[in-house]
Amino acid sequence: MKRPIAFLLMLAMIFALTACGTNTAPTPGPDADKPSDEKIVIRLGFSTEPDSHYGKGSAEFERLVEEYTNGKVDVQLFPSATLGNERDMIEGISLGTLEMCLSSTGPMPNFSKEFQVFDLPFIITDKDRAYEVMDGETGQQILASLEPLNIKGLGFWENGFRHISNSKKEIVHPTDMAGIKLRTMENPIHMATFQLLGAMPTPMAFSELFTALQQGTIDGQENPLVIFDTNKFSEAQDYLSLTGHVYSPSIMMISKSTFESYPQDVQDAILRAEKEARTWERNFCTQMDEELVDKIKAAGVKVTEVDKAEWQKACEPIYAQYEDEINPEYIKALTGK
Ligand code: EAX
């Protein structure tokens, strides 16, 4: 806990200095009646690379916001965790020291337990059903749980179906996970799932992952194909199993007090651009999932199809373990059962 706080203090200081120096960074409250020719700067941070799904989708969001506000808003992208890891960025948004970030749902239960439903293995197997639920009432209810923390969840973007890679051996069956030292997100249900499968889950921030794989302090990791590709995990991993054990959405969020300090037309432009860029990003992810298996194979990685029903069965006990903490209506909505 100490490190993120130190980081946030540093971020707050940088923010204060920048605000004094350039007079362009937005501050909540008094800015509501700022002169209309003054630029609003929105910093948007994420942990993945510029050419990843987050990078490309955020660039589309930037383009649309700037177009819809006739350049009144300047969206600036900060990829590769340059503004901190996901948890740090979400804390920054809550404090109002950062305007926006795009984060996977992995760290969200640290802020609201309502997001835990997405961590259940195989809760989402059909993306189209998931989009409907996430864009509908259930999704809005889950996002609204962030508002008391000064976080406005704009929408569910896509991180994607997560697949397991490692440097030790081909993984076909759940029992093959025994003894694999696997990096997980800092997420209790993910950790419990891999423990159940006999692996050694090692929670770690995403920015530390590549080095840990390269140095061999861990054997493997799990992430969507687009991250495996854009972070060049093929340089450190020989085996990839298409388990799709978790579909991970990502939340596009904005500091609520900052958002509410913007003029109405800017707020409207942000909402419109987010909705359109969200669809764009989801389509990009679908296309990447289709294209990347061949590219990853060509990079020398052995890609293995698995029997998903077998994996789903092996993960089932996790539901009983967490059922008291999760709204059954959410499970029903996502599974359709
Ligand atoms: O949000 O940490 C992870 O493995 C995530 O998939 C990544 O940060 C993208």
Side-chain angles (χ1 to χ4, degrees):
M1 274 313 287
K2 279 197 181 129
R3 201 180 44 81
I5 290 169
F7 177 80
L8 282 170
L9 282 175
M10 193 185 75
L11 204 68
M13 278 168 65
I14 293 171
F15 177 78
L17 288 171
T18 320
C20 294
T22 64
N23 206 24
T24 54
T27 46
D31 279 6
D33 43 38
K34 71 168 68 149
S36 59
D37 57 348
E38 196 178 324
K39 268 214 180 211
I40 294 173
V41 175
I42 296 181
R43 292 163 303 162
L44 166 54
F46 46 92
S47 62
T48 61
E49 295 301 297
D51 59 345
S52 69
H53 48 348
Y54 290 5
K56 301 253 177 156
S58 297
E60 181 64 8
F61 173 75
E62 173 187 1
R63 186 183 74 76
L64 292 171
V65 170
E66 291 176 3
E67 181 187 320
Y68 296 155
T69 61
N70 294 315
K72 186 153 100 183
V73 173
D74 175 16
V75 178
Q76 299 177 358
L77 307 186
F78 292 86
S80 315
T82 41
L83 293 182
N85 283 306
E86 291 183 331
R87 193 167 166 164
D88 307 325
M89 288 191 284
I90 302 166
E91 281 172 349
I93 285 184
S94 179
L95 290 171
T97 52
L98 174 63
E99 292 78 47
M100 289 186 76
C101 88
L102 180 57
S103 165
S104 82
T105 40
M108 296 309 291
N110 294 307
F111 299 89
S112 160
K113 295 266 184 237
E114 300 281 286
F115 285 86
Q116 285 202 122
V117 68
F118 296 107
D119 302 326
L120 290 169
F122 296 101
I123 186 80
I124 294 170
T125 49
D126 173 355
K127 279 205 314 195
D128 290 326
R129 165 185 293 281
Y131 295 156
E132 252 177 61
V133 173
M134 294 186 296
D135 297 343
E137 233 172 82
T138 302
Q140 294 321 299
Q141 196 179 328
I142 295 173
L143 293 178
S145 70
L146 295 169
E147 302 228 341
L149 298 169
N150 191 38
I151 300 171
K152 185 175 173 60
L154 295 172
F156 290 85
W157 288 40
E158 183 151 320
N159 189 14
F161 282 108
R162 304 180 76 90
H163 306 292
I164 299 168
S165 72
N166 84 101
S167 59
K168 289 271 173 226
K169 61 176 185 188
E170 182 179 20
I171 288 172
V172 183
H173 305 289
T175 47
D176 297 331
M177 291 301 291
I180 296 282
K181 208 165 176 205
L182 190 88
R183 177 270 177 176
T184 66
M185 290 197 277
E186 294 156 299
N187 178 293
I189 301 185
H190 288 199
M191 290 171 66
T193 303
F194 287 108
Q195 198 130 36
L196 172 74
L197 297 178
M200 296 194 282
T202 311
M204 191 184 288
F206 183 72
S207 59
E208 292 160 29
L209 175 53
F210 185 75
T211 310
L213 289 173
Q214 239 180 358
Q215 293 180 345
T217 46
I218 47 169
D219 303 321
Q221 63 86 45
E222 40 85 58
N223 253 303
L225 297 182
V226 62
I227 290 187
F228 190 93
D229 176 56
T230 51
N231 276 88
K232 304 197 170 21
F233 287 166
S234 59
E235 290 175 13
Q237 300 280 269
D238 298 324
Y239 304 97
L240 175 67
S241 302
L242 300 175
T243 47
H245 52 280
V246 163
Y247 171 86
S248 150
S250 52
I251 310 301
M252 184 61 95
M253 57 194 113
I254 188 163
S255 188
K256 186 169 176 281
S257 51
T258 307
F259 179 79
E260 286 167 358
S261 75
Y262 297 150
Q264 192 59 48
D265 60 328
V266 170
Q267 292 187 20
D268 292 345
I270 291 171
L271 297 180
R272 182 176 165 205
E274 185 279 331
K275 199 159 179 250
E276 291 171 15
R278 185 198 316 161
T279 303
W280 188 97
E281 192 258 1
R282 284 173 177 171
N283 291 338
F284 178 76
C285 288
T286 302
Q287 191 191 332
M288 286 300 104
D289 273 344
E290 280 163 18
E291 286 176 12
L292 285 176
V293 170
D294 285 343
K295 187 176 173 198
I296 291 167
K297 279 183 186 164
V301 177
K302 180 159 179 49
V303 179
T304 305
E305 297 273 355
V306 303
D307 175 359
K308 287 198 184 152
E310 184 193 10
W311 282 76
Q312 186 163 7
K313 193 143 197 298
C315 294
E316 232 167 52
I318 289 295
Y319 281 65
Q321 207 173 314
Y322 284 93
E323 86 196 335
D324 294 347
E325 294 181 31
I326 297 172
N327 185 338
E329 291 302 317
Y330 295 170
I331 297 183
K332 220 166 119 186
L334 285 171
T335 57
K337 285 180 208 146

